[in-house]
Amino acid sequence: PFLAFTRSAFVARKPNYAQPNWLGVGLAFGTSAALWAFLIKQHNEDVMEYERRQKEGHHKCTECS
């Protein structure tokens, strides 16, 4: 009798493919696109810094070594 009044936090339902969760879809694709854009931007900055340091060559500072 006591168990009759308990409720489960999880409810099993059949997915409704006629009405997708567009908010979830948008958040998933938006997050993925934002991460890719950040990674590409960071990569380009790293390549530019690498090329700048290669052009700079070895400096004559004796305190660094």
Side-chain angles (χ1 to χ4, degrees), residues 1-58:
F2 181 69
L3 295 176
F5 295 108
T6 60
R7 292 179 56 184
S8 174
F10 304 100
V11 179
R13 295 184 201 149
K14 286 186 177 180
N16 185 1
Y17 295 113
Q19 295 178 343
N21 181 3
W22 290 113
L23 179 62
V25 172
L27 284 173
F29 280 110
T31 303
S32 180
L35 285 173
W36 274 105
F38 173 75
L39 288 173
I40 291 170
K41 176 182 166 285
Q42 189 66 43
H43 172 73
N44 290 338
E45 288 177 1
D46 290 344
V47 168
M48 287 173 46
E49 179 68 16
Y50 174 79
E51 290 173 351
R52 184 188 67 79
R53 289 186 183 194
Q54 289 296 317
K55 286 181 184 177
E56 188 178 275
H58 300 291

